[in-house]
Amino acid sequence: KFLAPLLKSADAMGGVGSKGPPLQTVGTIDVPKMMGTWFVIGVMPTPFERGAHNAREIYTKGSRDWSVDIDFTYNKDSFEGPIKSLPQKGSSWLPEKPSAWKVSPFWPLKLPYLVIESSGQLDADSAWFVVGYPSRDYCWIMARKPEMDDGLYATLRDKLVTDHHYPEDSVKAHLVRVPHSWTRDPRSGLYQRNAP
């Protein structure tokens, strides 16, 4: 009974079949440098993420080889909304084979996690990457900071269409910029949600 509503939402995500040529992932990824905090800057959301504010993921090395624990949290519907959590498990995160990466929000569901664009040094303060989905119904623009230059955001948005064959009308209709409100501690460098 507990899994029933979650599985119903997962079914709403549709199959993983592509609406165009297969998505091309980046060549290799330095997985250890991906660990740490990432903010969801833009998203074509799944049913779980609609209305998310302050969406953030924290990646830590998992207990198994090439596995990653993902702590995904967000405020539901507004900055004042309750903080929701959706822990996930990454598997098969081999540096030389990012096309095989999977993420599981709950057993037995495993979804593709395809990094299709990324900056150079993923452990840099200015780092970012983009995750695509084979059906092209979803995508995630991630960054180390809770904000992104408008020009860079527009470039990544446009590349979804020109380089990765996302339907232009779908991107225009469904890609949303996630609202964020954080303060960074000058000593630790960590971000804290601003009080509503």
Side-chain angles (χ1 to χ4, degrees), residues 55-147:
R56 178 182 67 178
E57 294 185 342
I58 299 176
Y59 297 176
T60 55
K61 186 180 184 300
S63 58
R64 297 184 178 181
D65 289 344
W66 311 116
S67 68
V68 175
D69 293 331
I70 302 172
D71 178 22
F72 173 50
T73 59
Y74 61 93
N75 290 87
K76 183 173 175 59
D77 296 327
S78 71
F79 293 125
E80 295 79 19
I83 297 176
K84 299 292 184 178
S85 177
L86 182 61
Q88 301 168 70
K89 295 280 188 181
S91 59
S92 301
W93 283 36
L94 295 164
E96 69 279 5
K97 198 174 181 181
S99 60
W101 288 13
K102 302 290 184 183
V103 164
S104 175
F106 54 85
W107 184 88
L109 187 65
K110 286 190 176 183
L111 304 172
Y113 190 91
L114 306 177
V115 179
I116 57 177
E117 297 281 347
S118 77
S119 60
Q121 290 290 107
L122 289 174
D123 57 350
D125 207 40
S126 59
W128 54 266
F129 66 91
V130 181
V131 176
Y133 194 76
S135 69
R136 294 177 170 82
D137 289 323
Y138 313 103
C139 79
W140 298 263
I141 298 174
M142 313 290 292
R144 286 291 188 187
K145 296 179 179 180
E147 66 274 339

